[in-house]
Amino acid sequence: MIEKKVGEGTYAVVYVGRAKDTKRQIAIKMIKVGEFKDGLDMSAIREIKFLQELRHPNVIELLDVFSSETNLNIVLEFLPADLEVLIKDKTIIFSPADIKSWLLMTLRGLHHCHRNFILHRDLKPNNLLLSPSGHLKLADFGLARALPASPRVNLTPRVVTRWYRAPELLFESRHYTTAVDIWSVGIIFAELMLRTPYLPGASDLEQIDVTFRALGTPTEATWPGVSSLPGYKQIQNYPTPSRQELQNRFLAASDNALDLMNDMIHFDPAKRIDTTQALLSKYFTESPPPTRPENLPKKAKQDPDWEEQALKNEEREKLIQKTREARMRA
Amino acid sequence: MTSQTSEPRKSKVVSDDDLYRNSSQYRLWSFTKQQLLDRRAECHNRAVVKLQKSLVEKGITGSEIEPLSLEEEADLVSLYASKIGEIAKSFNMPSQVKATAISYFSKFYLVYSVMDYHPKNILYTSVFLASKAENYFIPIDKFCSALKRTEPKDILDSEFLLLESLSFTLAVQNPLMSLHGFFLDIQSAGIASIDESVLGQLHDGARAVIVDGFITDVMFLYTPPQIALAAMMVVNEAITLEYITQRFVTNPEQIEFLLSVIVECKDELVNIRLPSSDRGKEIDKKLHMCLNPDRKRKKRPSPTTAGPSGTSTPSSTANQTLSAEEPAIKRLKSADISSESTPVSLTTVTIDASVEPLADEVPEMTHLPA
């Protein structure tokens, strides 16, 4: 039972509805088949492929896929909010325990993806959706791919939204791993603490500058092999920030929080921690304990403003058209 | 990094086996031998009934057109499946794409009979969809230009049908992944007395056995690690046995059971039965009659997209070829397609413009004189 249209996504029109039997709210992504020159859209294929295999409390649930006339319909659980909306809503105060809870749920969802050899490749607050009960779920698997069995396989470096893009991607590495997702989570962690994007580069080139200005310029000593990456550029030599400088930037962060963030945004992907290590970090066992999902802050307005959402989506539309083309080839 | 003091409370440990049991490959596409036989017989019988009904409706006597037997159908499916290797090779596709394409193709014929849909277009569509699902996307016009007598719409029209037949599950777990894992493990476990070159031979040999075995039923019957171990057994039984006994179990009963499964799997893996291409042509000719029962009466020239006109219901009926099917998908104008530029992805290997056209076998089989 369809209730209303909630927006146009990368490759689909999204409706919200309610399951007749359970009365549960659902989102239906209707993908027009035959719209694209090359048949079924790549994002749709990826989303179906991976969500069929993933069942986890912190990954958006695929409820059904069915066909109708000329549409392919993906039925997902309905998740009315996302982390980006909360971060931007300055009327809401995040406690350290809230941040810990969101980060924990993000890492749990990601751990499940990585255990299943799936790279998400587009982690950002906007893709971390929130259920009415406060549970965080990874969504948008339109750029996901399986971790290749052989290191000889070439991957496209043109993945992940710019601000959350790992340095090996900035240098156009063709052989990357699950570590690219960990970097994104580290940057999201920073954003949760700062309440503003941590590394907001205005262009791909500027992203490199912004990243290294904040974190210091990598060298062969700190990141062996960096200078032989395809897109490596010699850039200004920024000093690595001292612990005190970091502490000044992240005033409320505990030592363990800073350690965890640092370990997740290690330049050298080989030295970056994985989800298992992150989940076992002291940060999660020190006080305060993570807020229970049902007690997490929610968006001030109980009923999300769909019109505003639709407007926002319209603005995104142009960008989306570009993304679609790029994703076909990603 | 790890917390010594207070580990998170353990509620339930999710094992790797649990992960596999959650996969669509296990949930939807794993069978016993009997279940496989039953499924194929069911598709076959349904198509035979449909064909006979439509022949009666058209007033064609049964003796002129005969349905395929179950064996003929199986032979044709494996013959066409074996062509996927050639196509994959001509596009320089990795074996992962090839495995996935063969898997899609085989699954399609666990849902439909060749008397519902001719294998040719399903074959191409399987390769095309697999190339997308496995990140080896080739633009449709580029794809078609390398195939003889194939239009983009021949493929795009059945893409949705194929996806539907797969119950919208696209992930195929490849035994080559497991093989890779076993080799990393053999090396790190340091199984005694194995020379590096012997190990290399074992790896390459097992790999070849797995790739050749894609067209068997093995993927429906066993798990990827079982298949990988079985392939290793085929190449070097001694080392594989040594590895299994040293590495796996302390419990002799378990080892015995594991070995019995792997031996069974091995037999299935090397059980590649391909009919001769003469027999293939014979069956294809018969199939052509089933799919085009009108052909006999109206002596039309053999068009590239053979099929009767005017009989179009969206459902699959035995008297229609795929190309005559009412498209479930909006057809693209060929003009739209040819005018489109096709940027080559950074991740896909550029297909040389001078790609050799495929061996004529695949398309030819569908164009036998009536």
Side-chain angles (χ1 to χ4, degrees), chain A residues 33-34 36-40 42 45-46 48-49 52-53 55 65-67 69-72 112 115-117 121 145 147 149 154-156 158 174 263 273 277 280-281 285 328-330, chain B residues 1-3 6 14-16 19 22-24 27 128-129 132-135 137 139-141 156 159-160 163-164 167-171 177 180 328-329 332 340 342-343 345-347:
Chain A
V33 177
F36 312 119
K37 180 182 82 70
D38 295 293
L40 291 169
M42 205 70 168
I45 286 177
R46 292 196 176 117
I48 292 171
K49 177 178 170 184
Q52 284 280 22
E53 309 300 321
R55 294 275 183 281
V65 186
F66 66 96
S67 49
E69 293 156 27
T70 57
N71 286 327
L72 172 62
H112 190 66
R115 265 196 91 176
N116 283 281
F117 304 102
R121 304 199 301 180
R145 70 156 290 154
L147 189 69
N154 277 333
L155 310 180
T156 172
R158 294 173 303 165
R174 310 286 292 276
D263 290 341
I273 56 171
Q277 293 166 315
L280 291 172
S281 109
T285 47
M328 238 19 223
R329 288 173 272 121
Chain B
M1 221 72 66
T2 53
S3 156
S6 51
V14 179
S15 70
D16 288 343
L19 292 183
N22 183 56
S23 71
S24 60
R27 285 183 288 121
F128 184 65
L129 186 60
K132 285 198 222 177
E134 299 295 352
N135 291 286
F137 171 64
I140 186 74
D141 30 14
L156 297 181
E159 195 182 22
F160 197 34
L163 181 64
E164 213 176 0
S167 302
F168 305 99
T169 58
L170 292 166
M177 278 279 261
H180 185 69
I329 309 165
L332 296 158
E340 198 82 35
T342 55
S345 158
L346 285 175
T347 45

XYZ file of all heavy atoms in Angstrom, chain A residues 33-34 36-40 42 45-46 48-49 52-53 55 65-67 69-72 112 115-117 121 145 147 149 154-156 158 174 263 273 277 280-281 285 328-330, chain B residues 1-3 6 14-16 19 22-24 27 128-129 132-135 137 139-141 156 159-160 163-164 167-171 177 180 328-329 332 340 342-343 345-347:
706
model
N 12.653 0.118 -15.722
C 13.487 -0.759 -16.527
C 13.424 -0.259 -17.962
O 12.384 0.162 -18.431
C 12.974 -2.199 -16.424
C 13.788 -3.117 -17.305
C 13.045 -2.660 -14.980
N 14.517 -0.283 -18.655
C 14.514 0.138 -20.044
C 14.742 1.622 -20.214
O 14.652 2.150 -21.301
N 17.578 3.105 -19.404
C 18.970 3.372 -19.691
C 19.457 2.561 -20.880
O 19.060 1.428 -21.084
C 19.819 3.088 -18.450
C 19.262 3.712 -17.218
C 18.868 2.943 -16.141
C 19.078 5.088 -17.151
C 18.320 3.527 -15.017
C 18.531 5.679 -16.037
C 18.155 4.893 -14.961
N 20.332 3.178 -21.598
C 20.880 2.571 -22.789
C 21.426 1.164 -22.524
O 21.265 0.269 -23.325
C 22.003 3.472 -23.312
C 22.677 2.977 -24.562
C 23.796 3.907 -24.965
C 25.081 3.647 -24.204
N 25.746 2.394 -24.569
N 22.054 1.013 -21.394
C 22.727 -0.249 -21.123
C 21.929 -1.173 -20.222
O 22.490 -1.984 -19.502
C 24.115 0.023 -20.532
C 25.007 0.717 -21.530
O 25.343 0.081 -22.536
O 25.340 1.898 -21.322
N 20.607 -1.033 -20.263
C 19.770 -1.952 -19.502
C 19.725 -1.605 -18.034
O 19.850 -0.446 -17.656
N 19.570 -2.623 -17.224
C 19.418 -2.412 -15.785
C 20.558 -1.566 -15.224
O 21.719 -1.799 -15.532
C 19.381 -3.753 -15.058
C 18.136 -4.611 -15.296
C 18.358 -6.004 -14.744
C 16.921 -3.975 -14.641
N 23.336 0.018 -13.005
C 24.400 -0.582 -12.217
C 24.160 -0.454 -10.710
O 24.403 -1.386 -9.953
C 25.684 0.159 -12.591
C 26.909 -0.597 -12.378
S 27.068 -1.950 -13.524
C 28.747 -2.316 -13.164
N 21.602 -2.930 -9.668
C 22.168 -4.280 -9.654
C 22.997 -4.508 -8.399
O 22.872 -5.516 -7.715
C 23.015 -4.513 -10.927
C 22.071 -4.695 -12.120
C 23.928 -5.710 -10.778
C 22.761 -4.860 -13.444
N 23.821 -3.518 -8.070
C 24.666 -3.665 -6.873
C 23.822 -3.725 -5.610
O 24.066 -4.532 -4.719
C 25.629 -2.492 -6.776
C 26.680 -2.492 -7.859
C 27.812 -1.543 -7.472
N 28.871 -1.604 -8.463
C 29.224 -0.545 -9.201
N 28.603 0.612 -9.066
N 30.202 -0.659 -10.060
N 20.728 -4.652 -5.178
C 20.032 -5.937 -5.056
C 21.025 -7.037 -4.712
O 20.809 -7.839 -3.807
C 19.294 -6.280 -6.367
C 18.141 -5.305 -6.594
C 18.778 -7.699 -6.344
C 17.505 -5.437 -7.957
N 22.111 -7.045 -5.429
C 23.091 -8.114 -5.237
C 23.549 -8.199 -3.779
O 23.556 -9.269 -3.186
C 24.289 -7.890 -6.163
C 25.404 -8.910 -5.978
C 26.558 -8.712 -6.933
C 27.721 -9.614 -6.508
N 28.919 -9.424 -7.333
N 20.677 -8.607 -0.820
C 20.146 -9.972 -0.738
C 21.007 -10.847 0.175
O 20.529 -11.834 0.714
C 20.124 -10.635 -2.128
C 19.029 -10.169 -3.048
C 17.682 -10.813 -2.761
O 17.434 -11.304 -1.674
N 16.812 -10.787 -3.746
N 22.260 -10.488 0.295
C 23.175 -11.342 1.054
C 23.381 -10.857 2.485
O 23.931 -11.579 3.303
C 24.538 -11.417 0.351
C 24.476 -11.778 -1.126
C 23.837 -13.138 -1.385
O 24.096 -14.065 -0.597
O 23.078 -13.263 -2.365
N 22.155 -9.653 6.107
C 21.091 -9.539 7.104
C 21.749 -9.185 8.426
O 22.458 -9.992 8.994
C 20.343 -10.868 7.271
C 19.548 -11.313 6.066
C 18.151 -10.691 6.026
N 17.388 -11.184 4.893
C 17.538 -10.743 3.639
N 18.422 -9.801 3.368
N 16.827 -11.233 2.655
N 11.876 -7.996 -3.435
C 12.097 -7.440 -4.761
C 11.005 -8.029 -5.635
O 10.728 -9.219 -5.558
C 13.469 -7.845 -5.352
C 13.717 -7.121 -6.659
C 14.584 -7.541 -4.374
N 10.351 -7.186 -6.381
C 9.355 -7.731 -7.300
C 9.271 -6.868 -8.543
O 9.738 -5.728 -8.566
C 7.983 -7.868 -6.613
C 7.349 -6.545 -6.241
C 6.419 -5.954 -7.083
C 7.675 -5.898 -5.058
C 5.821 -4.743 -6.747
C 7.097 -4.687 -4.715
C 6.170 -4.107 -5.560
N 8.666 -7.437 -9.553
C 8.543 -6.699 -10.804
C 7.087 -6.337 -11.018
O 6.189 -7.050 -10.600
C 9.030 -7.564 -11.953
O 8.430 -8.834 -11.881
N 4.874 -4.526 -14.282
C 4.894 -3.923 -15.611
C 6.318 -3.592 -16.043
O 7.097 -4.469 -16.335
C 3.993 -2.685 -15.650
C 2.527 -3.037 -15.485
C 1.708 -1.876 -14.945
O 2.094 -0.727 -15.166
O 0.686 -2.131 -14.301
N 6.642 -2.307 -16.031
C 7.982 -1.952 -16.505
C 8.890 -1.520 -15.360
O 9.894 -0.877 -15.588
C 7.910 -0.808 -17.529
O 7.258 0.283 -16.891
C 7.150 -1.221 -18.747
N 8.503 -1.869 -14.159
C 9.317 -1.457 -13.019
C 9.931 -2.634 -12.287
O 9.342 -3.706 -12.195
C 8.460 -0.692 -12.005
C 8.137 0.696 -12.487
O 8.930 1.322 -13.179
N 6.961 1.153 -12.146
N 11.086 -2.340 -11.769
C 11.701 -3.256 -10.827
C 11.558 -2.579 -9.471
O 11.909 -1.408 -9.325
C 13.173 -3.428 -11.196
C 14.059 -4.205 -10.245
C 13.574 -5.632 -10.130
C 15.492 -4.210 -10.778
N 29.979 -6.477 9.497
C 29.220 -7.521 8.811
C 29.474 -7.486 7.298
O 29.638 -8.531 6.671
C 27.728 -7.375 9.111
C 26.917 -8.540 8.641
N 27.045 -9.800 9.171
C 25.992 -8.639 7.651
C 26.231 -10.631 8.547
N 25.567 -9.946 7.616
N 33.033 -8.806 6.704
C 33.100 -10.261 6.910
C 32.560 -10.992 5.700
O 32.933 -12.115 5.415
C 32.254 -10.664 8.119
C 33.030 -10.780 9.389
C 32.225 -11.545 10.403
N 32.494 -12.972 10.347
C 31.966 -13.835 11.201
N 31.142 -13.423 12.154
N 32.237 -15.111 11.120
N 31.629 -10.351 5.031
C 31.062 -10.943 3.821
C 31.810 -10.499 2.566
O 31.309 -10.650 1.457
C 29.584 -10.586 3.696
C 28.716 -11.417 4.620
O 28.416 -12.564 4.323
N 28.337 -10.852 5.756
N 32.993 -9.937 2.761
C 33.860 -9.510 1.651
C 33.186 -8.451 0.772
O 33.312 -8.470 -0.454
C 34.306 -10.712 0.803
C 34.985 -11.775 1.613
C 34.317 -12.934 1.983
C 36.291 -11.601 2.040
C 34.941 -13.902 2.756
C 36.923 -12.563 2.806
C 36.250 -13.716 3.172
N 32.061 1.484 -0.014
C 32.614 2.509 -0.900
C 31.818 3.810 -1.003
O 32.051 4.600 -1.924
C 32.856 1.936 -2.320
C 33.756 0.708 -2.326
C 34.345 0.454 -3.682
N 33.333 0.249 -4.720
C 33.626 0.017 -5.991
N 34.888 -0.032 -6.386
N 32.682 -0.165 -6.875
N 30.998 -3.188 -3.843
C 31.505 -4.264 -4.671
C 32.149 -5.329 -3.790
O 32.469 -5.089 -2.639
C 32.503 -3.790 -5.729
C 33.854 -3.336 -5.222
C 34.912 -3.460 -6.311
N 35.200 -4.870 -6.587
C 35.663 -5.320 -7.744
N 35.879 -4.515 -8.739
N 35.921 -6.608 -7.909
N 35.021 -7.666 -2.485
C 36.471 -7.562 -2.362
C 37.073 -8.550 -3.356
O 36.697 -9.719 -3.362
C 36.877 -7.932 -0.937
C 38.316 -7.683 -0.536
C 38.591 -6.192 -0.459
C 38.610 -8.340 0.804
N 39.271 -11.329 -5.175
C 40.034 -12.452 -4.626
C 41.520 -12.251 -4.865
O 42.346 -12.657 -4.070
C 39.570 -13.753 -5.264
N 42.077 -4.736 -10.902
C 42.062 -3.279 -10.822
C 40.708 -2.771 -10.354
O 39.684 -3.190 -10.862
C 42.339 -2.674 -12.199
C 43.820 -2.605 -12.491
O 44.638 -2.526 -11.572
N 44.175 -2.631 -13.757
N 40.721 -1.858 -9.410
C 39.477 -1.241 -8.944
C 39.505 0.231 -9.335
O 40.564 0.824 -9.486
C 39.356 -1.349 -7.422
C 39.581 -2.718 -6.793
C 39.409 -2.618 -5.279
C 38.603 -3.726 -7.337
N 38.328 0.802 -9.479
C 38.313 2.215 -9.812
C 38.489 3.055 -8.543
O 37.863 2.803 -7.522
C 37.010 2.633 -10.525
O 37.027 4.063 -10.625
C 35.780 2.224 -9.757
N 37.601 6.062 -8.325
C 36.586 7.110 -8.280
C 35.369 6.667 -7.482
O 34.273 6.502 -8.007
C 36.192 7.510 -9.700
C 37.351 8.180 -10.435
C 37.007 8.418 -11.872
N 36.642 7.160 -12.519
C 36.019 7.088 -13.682
N 35.649 8.177 -14.305
N 35.746 5.926 -14.216
N 44.684 1.812 -7.481
C 43.770 0.877 -8.125
C 43.640 -0.414 -7.327
O 42.924 -1.325 -7.725
C 44.271 0.545 -9.542
C 44.624 1.759 -10.382
C 43.392 2.482 -10.859
N 42.662 1.664 -11.813
C 42.945 1.616 -13.116
N 43.930 2.327 -13.596
N 42.245 0.875 -13.929
N 43.717 5.757 14.681
C 43.969 4.437 14.100
C 43.116 4.187 12.859
O 43.495 3.422 11.977
C 43.702 3.339 15.143
C 44.754 3.337 16.253
O 45.843 3.905 16.029
O 44.476 2.784 17.335
N 43.496 0.324 11.188
C 42.896 -0.830 11.862
C 41.686 -1.329 11.083
O 41.117 -0.618 10.253
C 42.474 -0.502 13.316
C 41.507 0.689 13.354
C 43.688 -0.255 14.181
C 40.913 0.901 14.726
N 39.382 -4.798 15.115
C 40.218 -4.049 16.062
C 39.491 -2.807 16.570
O 39.569 -2.479 17.753
C 41.528 -3.636 15.374
C 42.421 -4.818 15.041
C 43.530 -4.421 14.076
O 43.296 -3.726 13.084
N 44.743 -4.864 14.367
N 37.000 -3.617 19.196
C 37.594 -4.037 20.461
C 38.378 -2.896 21.121
O 39.069 -3.109 22.118
C 38.521 -5.236 20.226
C 37.811 -6.539 19.827
C 38.823 -7.600 19.422
C 36.929 -7.052 20.954
N 38.269 -1.709 20.566
C 39.063 -0.617 21.118
C 38.578 -0.236 22.519
O 37.418 -0.455 22.878
C 39.014 0.589 20.170
O 38.257 1.623 20.725
N 34.822 0.395 25.718
C 34.609 -0.203 27.034
C 34.811 0.806 28.157
O 34.441 0.547 29.295
C 35.538 -1.412 27.241
O 36.863 -1.045 26.850
C 35.082 -2.584 26.403
N 27.988 3.623 -13.565
C 27.920 2.597 -14.598
C 29.328 2.075 -14.851
O 29.535 0.925 -15.167
C 27.417 3.264 -15.865
C 26.163 2.781 -16.535
S 24.951 1.811 -15.728
C 24.604 0.635 -17.005
N 30.261 2.988 -14.716
C 31.635 2.638 -15.076
C 32.533 2.417 -13.870
O 33.707 2.185 -14.019
C 32.205 3.743 -15.977
C 31.586 3.716 -17.344
C 32.007 4.884 -18.199
N 31.153 6.050 -18.026
C 31.586 7.222 -17.635
N 32.838 7.404 -17.323
N 30.751 8.239 -17.531
N 31.956 2.537 -12.690
C 32.781 2.412 -11.482
C 33.191 0.967 -11.243
O 32.440 0.067 -11.533
C 32.042 2.948 -10.283
N 45.557 -2.462 20.930
C 44.277 -2.171 20.307
C 43.148 -2.950 20.971
O 42.045 -2.477 21.135
C 44.331 -2.564 18.829
C 43.659 -1.571 17.921
S 44.629 -0.063 17.800
C 46.087 -0.691 16.946
N 43.446 -4.183 21.335
C 42.365 -4.996 21.876
C 42.190 -4.712 23.355
O 43.116 -4.380 24.071
C 42.653 -6.502 21.707
O 43.938 -6.752 22.276
C 42.648 -6.907 20.269
N 40.973 -4.874 23.760
C 40.661 -4.585 25.150
C 40.867 -5.834 25.991
O 40.272 -6.873 25.742
C 39.214 -4.108 25.237
O 38.734 -4.339 26.523
N 37.627 -5.683 29.620
C 36.243 -6.136 29.572
C 35.800 -6.323 28.132
O 35.527 -5.367 27.420
C 35.334 -5.124 30.258
O 35.605 -3.849 29.713
N 28.555 -15.482 15.468
C 28.164 -15.811 14.097
C 29.363 -16.445 13.410
O 30.380 -15.803 13.198
C 27.724 -14.536 13.337
C 27.353 -14.872 11.905
C 26.558 -13.874 14.054
N 29.233 -17.715 13.085
C 30.356 -18.420 12.467
C 30.353 -18.185 10.958
O 29.386 -17.702 10.390
C 30.242 -19.914 12.744
O 29.150 -20.434 12.007
N 31.462 -18.577 10.320
C 31.523 -18.462 8.864
C 30.472 -19.358 8.208
O 29.928 -19.031 7.159
C 32.921 -18.843 8.362
C 33.945 -17.768 8.715
O 33.529 -16.646 9.042
O 35.153 -18.062 8.677
N 27.318 -17.547 8.104
C 27.308 -16.580 7.011
C 26.953 -17.275 5.696
O 26.157 -16.776 4.912
C 28.672 -15.877 6.871
C 29.097 -14.940 7.990
C 30.422 -14.274 7.647
C 28.047 -13.875 8.261
N 23.395 -18.113 5.299
C 22.561 -16.943 5.029
C 22.647 -16.492 3.565
O 21.848 -15.681 3.111
C 23.001 -15.800 5.955
C 22.138 -14.575 5.780
O 20.928 -14.652 5.915
N 22.753 -13.455 5.424
N 23.616 -17.039 2.846
C 23.800 -16.571 1.466
C 22.667 -17.073 0.576
O 22.065 -18.112 0.832
C 25.138 -17.070 0.919
O 25.075 -18.470 0.703
N 22.378 -16.306 -0.470
C 21.313 -16.725 -1.386
C 21.718 -18.031 -2.081
O 20.866 -18.832 -2.432
C 21.026 -15.635 -2.410
O 22.175 -15.357 -3.167
N 20.569 -20.551 0.399
C 19.128 -20.517 0.664
C 18.300 -20.930 -0.558
O 17.317 -21.637 -0.441
C 18.698 -19.103 1.094
C 19.100 -18.741 2.515
C 18.584 -17.365 2.909
N 19.300 -16.286 2.237
C 18.744 -15.383 1.452
N 17.441 -15.398 1.229
N 19.465 -14.433 0.886
N 26.128 -10.714 -20.256
C 26.018 -9.259 -20.096
C 25.682 -8.883 -18.647
O 26.333 -8.014 -18.053
C 24.949 -8.722 -21.056
C 24.815 -7.218 -21.034
C 25.855 -6.400 -21.457
C 23.650 -6.621 -20.569
C 25.747 -5.019 -21.426
C 23.526 -5.233 -20.533
C 24.578 -4.431 -20.963
N 24.705 -9.571 -18.074
C 24.312 -9.260 -16.690
C 25.453 -9.606 -15.728
O 25.738 -8.863 -14.788
C 23.033 -10.021 -16.315
C 22.426 -9.698 -14.948
C 22.040 -8.221 -14.839
C 21.203 -10.566 -14.661
N 28.040 -6.978 -15.568
C 27.677 -5.844 -14.716
C 27.794 -6.216 -13.242
O 28.342 -5.462 -12.446
C 26.231 -5.431 -14.991
C 26.027 -4.690 -16.283
C 24.679 -3.979 -16.191
C 23.905 -4.078 -17.467
N 22.583 -3.455 -17.349
N 27.269 -7.376 -12.908
C 27.250 -7.771 -11.501
C 28.657 -7.985 -10.955
O 28.886 -7.866 -9.764
C 26.415 -9.034 -11.313
N 29.598 -8.308 -11.842
C 30.972 -8.559 -11.393
C 31.914 -7.416 -11.764
O 33.126 -7.617 -11.903
C 31.488 -9.885 -11.964
C 30.696 -11.112 -11.550
C 30.767 -11.411 -10.051
O 31.559 -10.751 -9.339
O 30.023 -12.297 -9.601
N 31.377 -6.227 -11.982
C 32.213 -5.061 -12.228
C 33.096 -5.173 -13.454
O 34.259 -4.785 -13.438
C 33.129 -4.772 -11.025
C 32.336 -4.299 -9.847
O 31.873 -3.170 -9.818
N 32.136 -5.180 -8.888
N 31.803 -4.183 -16.571
C 30.777 -3.661 -17.465
C 31.316 -3.332 -18.854
O 32.339 -2.673 -18.998
C 30.162 -2.413 -16.841
C 29.252 -1.665 -17.762
C 28.085 -2.258 -18.207
C 29.558 -0.390 -18.189
C 27.238 -1.581 -19.059
C 28.723 0.297 -19.049
C 27.558 -0.307 -19.484
N 29.771 -1.661 -22.381
C 28.572 -1.034 -22.948
C 27.886 -1.951 -23.953
O 28.558 -2.679 -24.691
C 29.120 0.223 -23.626
C 30.394 0.524 -22.905
C 30.966 -0.810 -22.514
N 26.564 -1.891 -23.963
C 25.784 -2.862 -24.735
C 26.132 -2.859 -26.220
O 26.229 -3.922 -26.837
C 24.258 -2.657 -24.513
C 23.430 -3.755 -25.188
C 23.782 -1.290 -24.990
C 23.483 -5.075 -24.501
N 26.360 -1.681 -26.785
C 26.628 -1.693 -28.236
C 27.993 -2.292 -28.543
O 28.172 -2.990 -29.548
C 26.465 -0.308 -28.879
C 26.792 0.823 -27.935
O 27.394 0.527 -26.883
O 26.469 1.976 -28.241
N 18.828 -6.858 -24.044
C 18.148 -6.046 -23.020
C 16.734 -6.548 -22.751
O 16.262 -6.494 -21.615
C 18.125 -4.577 -23.442
C 19.507 -3.933 -23.580
C 19.382 -2.474 -23.980
C 20.318 -4.069 -22.299
N 16.959 -9.218 -20.153
C 17.733 -8.969 -18.937
C 16.852 -9.048 -17.681
O 17.204 -9.673 -16.684
C 18.401 -7.596 -19.021
C 19.498 -7.406 -17.993
C 20.127 -6.021 -18.032
O 19.474 -5.083 -18.529
O 21.268 -5.893 -17.556
N 15.710 -8.416 -17.776
C 14.778 -8.396 -16.653
C 14.230 -9.793 -16.376
O 14.139 -10.238 -15.228
C 13.649 -7.421 -16.987
C 12.838 -6.976 -15.817
C 13.395 -6.813 -14.563
C 11.489 -6.686 -15.979
C 12.635 -6.386 -13.492
C 10.719 -6.262 -14.922
C 11.289 -6.112 -13.673
N 16.835 -11.738 -14.615
C 16.946 -11.306 -13.220
C 15.801 -11.888 -12.382
O 15.999 -12.350 -11.263
C 16.930 -9.771 -13.148
C 17.051 -9.138 -11.763
C 18.392 -9.459 -11.139
C 16.876 -7.624 -11.841
N 14.637 -11.889 -12.972
C 13.466 -12.426 -12.290
C 13.614 -13.933 -12.057
O 13.308 -14.436 -10.976
C 12.241 -12.143 -13.160
C 10.987 -11.893 -12.391
C 9.838 -11.518 -13.332
O 10.034 -11.455 -14.571
O 8.748 -11.291 -12.812
N 15.337 -15.063 -9.122
C 14.724 -14.589 -7.884
C 15.477 -13.383 -7.338
O 15.594 -13.210 -6.127
C 14.675 -15.675 -6.800
O 13.968 -16.773 -7.260
N 16.002 -12.589 -8.239
C 16.710 -11.350 -7.885
C 17.924 -11.600 -6.995
O 18.286 -10.774 -6.173
C 15.753 -10.357 -7.225
C 14.545 -10.048 -8.061
C 13.323 -10.674 -7.816
C 14.634 -9.157 -9.116
C 12.212 -10.405 -8.610
C 13.533 -8.879 -9.910
C 12.312 -9.503 -9.657
N 18.525 -12.738 -7.131
C 19.778 -12.985 -6.401
C 20.912 -13.032 -7.414
O 20.863 -13.786 -8.376
C 19.734 -14.306 -5.607
O 19.465 -15.382 -6.506
C 18.670 -14.261 -4.533
N 21.899 -12.209 -7.201
C 22.960 -12.066 -8.195
C 24.331 -12.511 -7.705
O 25.256 -12.661 -8.496
C 23.046 -10.598 -8.645
C 21.841 -10.091 -9.447
C 21.861 -8.569 -9.532
C 21.832 -10.693 -10.838
N 24.459 -12.705 -6.406
C 25.783 -13.046 -5.880
C 26.065 -14.526 -6.116
O 25.241 -15.388 -5.826
C 25.853 -12.729 -4.393
N 37.735 -18.366 -5.011
C 38.018 -17.622 -3.782
C 38.487 -18.578 -2.686
O 39.459 -18.317 -1.990
C 36.754 -16.907 -3.284
C 36.451 -15.596 -3.945
S 37.431 -14.259 -3.253
C 36.259 -13.523 -2.118
N 41.950 -19.892 -3.344
C 42.925 -18.870 -2.970
C 43.174 -18.919 -1.460
O 44.319 -18.921 -1.001
C 42.377 -17.500 -3.388
C 43.323 -16.363 -3.172
N 44.470 -16.217 -3.908
C 43.289 -15.324 -2.315
C 45.121 -15.142 -3.492
N 44.413 -14.574 -2.534
N 9.001 -7.094 -22.124
C 8.656 -6.664 -20.771
C 9.324 -5.319 -20.529
O 9.003 -4.598 -19.622
C 9.154 -7.684 -19.769
N 10.266 -5.039 -21.375
C 11.067 -3.836 -21.211
C 10.815 -2.959 -22.428
O 10.650 -3.454 -23.534
C 12.566 -4.209 -21.194
C 12.784 -5.326 -20.193
C 13.420 -3.007 -20.907
C 14.097 -5.999 -20.340
N 14.541 -0.119 -26.964
C 15.303 1.066 -27.333
C 15.366 1.158 -28.839
O 15.458 0.153 -29.525
C 16.726 0.954 -26.780
C 16.806 0.934 -25.267
C 18.111 0.303 -24.848
C 16.705 2.327 -24.712
N 24.998 6.946 -29.411
C 25.567 7.124 -28.077
C 27.077 6.886 -28.123
O 27.548 5.945 -28.727
C 24.926 6.106 -27.154
C 25.057 6.402 -25.703
C 24.011 7.388 -25.238
O 22.890 7.341 -25.764
O 24.342 8.185 -24.365
N 30.469 5.750 -26.322
C 30.700 4.754 -25.297
C 32.062 4.927 -24.670
O 33.041 4.355 -25.113
C 30.620 3.344 -25.895
O 31.546 3.297 -26.983
C 29.240 3.028 -26.394
N 32.101 5.750 -23.634
C 33.388 5.916 -22.971
C 33.810 4.598 -22.337
O 32.973 3.865 -21.816
C 33.093 6.956 -21.897
C 31.626 6.936 -21.716
C 31.009 6.421 -22.960
N 35.454 2.424 -19.586
C 35.716 2.576 -18.167
C 37.193 2.349 -17.869
O 37.880 1.614 -18.563
C 34.892 1.555 -17.419
O 35.468 1.338 -16.172
N 37.616 2.983 -16.821
C 38.996 2.776 -16.397
C 39.193 1.361 -15.889
O 40.278 0.810 -15.950
C 39.339 3.752 -15.274
C 39.555 5.194 -15.699
C 39.751 6.057 -14.484
C 40.769 5.275 -16.615
N 38.107 0.806 -15.359
C 38.256 -0.513 -14.748
C 38.085 -1.637 -15.742
O 38.502 -2.739 -15.480
C 37.242 -0.720 -13.630
O 35.980 -0.255 -14.102
C 37.660 0.013 -12.388
